[in-house]
Amino acid sequence: MSKPGQRDSPMMGLVDFHCHLDLYPDLLAAVQECERRQIYTLAVTTTPKAWPRNHQVASHTKHVRAALGLHPQLIAERANEIDLWEEYLPQTRYVGEVGLDAGPRHYRSLDLQTAIFRRILTACAIAGNKVLTVHSVRAASRVLDLIDECLPLDRGRVVLHWFTGSRREAERAVGLGCYFSINAGMLQKESARQVVEMLPGERLLTETDGPFVMSQDRSAEPRDVEAVVNGVAHLRGVRPQSLCLSVLQNLRTLCTEL
Ligand code: MN
């Protein structure tokens, strides 16, 4: 028997602001699961070729939105898809996954990645009113330089996904108006935990980055964002339900402040 006031049901109003629903075996089933569990989910894509299907499936839902992406790790082979990405841009409010990856496997395409990311940010600034989920592996400073240069605060909003930059870089990102979507991987690393502790509460979002992040011994799914809420709440010394509510409020603010 549960005590009065004890919560047995799953947390309501969860937010998974970065998940690759189209990389699970069944996109439609993954979208329906988010809808059934009422998890506000951003279905990011890695190539604009995936946009039409993701957009079509998400557009009939209350809780799922698709984002138009061109992943930095694919730029070496797919830079020419930027034309298709630009063609689809007017169809979406949400952009991602985009950004830079200066890790060892992708470092050699960093100049090309930078040119493409600059073009993406500029196109978003011209269009206005876009919300971007941005990858910045080993490239936090360069990503922030480009945001500063190409996307003024009144032309768009950036959510830094799985941010692994320093505290100083995080402070700079806050000054540039960025939000941060926190995932389980970040909570395992002491340097990232310190960033999660210091960020302003009104800039926090949550994500799973499924299926790339593992939860126990399987790929994370949007429902696993509840563990992220618990972890972030614990780190920041607040109750999970109150963190969950403020993340949802942050999502509302992000989507209405532009
Ligand atoms: Mn991702």
Side-chain angles (χ1 to χ4, degrees):
M1 273 278 274
S2 57
K3 294 175 198 148
Q6 190 172 321
R7 190 175 44 77
D8 292 320
S9 55
M11 217 177 271
M12 297 302 291
L14 289 167
V15 174
D16 183 352
F17 202 72
H18 186 111
C19 189
H20 298 263
L21 292 182
D22 64 352
L23 300 183
Y24 294 88
D26 186 340
L27 169 64
L28 188 58
V31 168
Q32 285 169 342
E33 179 74 357
C34 295
E35 199 59 355
R36 193 178 68 78
R37 291 179 182 272
Q38 303 180 36
I39 301 171
Y40 294 92
T41 306
L42 189 64
V44 299
T45 56
T46 56
T47 149
K49 289 185 175 164
W51 167 255
R53 168 96 173 118
N54 276 265
H55 178 48
Q56 185 231 329
V57 172
S59 60
H60 303 289
T61 72
K62 173 167 185 242
H63 298 88
V64 183
R65 294 293 178 268
L68 172 64
L70 183 49
H71 199 293
Q73 296 175 349
L74 300 182
I75 291 298
E77 294 84 37
R78 293 176 178 259
N80 61 346
E81 292 186 14
I82 186 66
D83 293 332
L84 186 60
W85 182 91
E86 279 195 342
E87 188 183 319
Y88 288 139
L89 185 61
Q91 297 179 18
T92 185
R93 175 107 203 269
Y94 300 96
V95 169
E97 178 165 0
V98 295
L100 297 179
D101 192 315
R105 287 176 56 206
H106 305 284
Y107 190 80
R108 71 206 138 86
S109 67
L110 191 57
D111 286 346
L112 186 54
Q113 291 180 43
T114 302
I116 296 290
F117 188 44
R118 181 179 270 122
R119 194 163 149 188
I120 286 171
L121 290 170
T122 304
C124 289
I126 291 168
N129 207 32
K130 306 293 187 197
V131 177
L132 294 75
T133 175
V134 171
H135 178 114
S136 58
V137 168
R138 297 206 189 178
S141 276
R142 197 190 269 236
V143 161
L144 297 177
D145 287 345
L146 288 168
I147 292 167
D148 197 11
E149 175 192 325
C150 303
L151 188 66
L153 205 46
D154 63 342
R155 301 306 299 163
R157 254 333 155 263
V158 168
V159 179
L160 294 165
H161 131 77
W162 200 338
F163 183 78
T164 54
S166 66
R167 277 186 283 183
R168 188 181 289 260
E169 286 163 336
E171 280 166 16
R172 183 177 171 213
V174 169
L176 291 170
C178 297
Y179 286 68
F180 297 78
S181 53
I182 312 302
N183 67 33
M186 290 176 71
L187 297 177
Q188 286 165 6
K189 229 183 132 206
E190 183 51 31
S191 56
R193 288 164 63 93
Q194 287 178 5
V195 168
V196 173
E197 273 180 276
M198 60 150 269
L199 289 174
E202 67 274 14
R203 297 293 179 82
L204 290 176
L205 295 172
T206 48
E207 62 163 63
T208 59
D209 200 19
F212 292 115
V213 168
M214 299 301 282
S215 177
Q216 282 111 35
D217 49 2
R218 58 175 174 79
S219 295
E221 296 168 24
R223 65 187 160 99
D224 296 311
V225 86
E226 181 164 352
V228 179
V229 169
N230 288 330
V232 174
H234 181 74
L235 257 185
R236 295 175 63 91
V238 297
R239 292 173 55 200
Q241 193 60 48
S242 98
L243 187 92
C244 185
L245 278 172
S246 59
V247 165
L248 186 57
Q249 183 54 51
N250 295 345
L251 179 64
R252 293 205 171 106
T253 304
L254 169 66
C255 294
T256 52
E257 71 186 350
L258 280 166

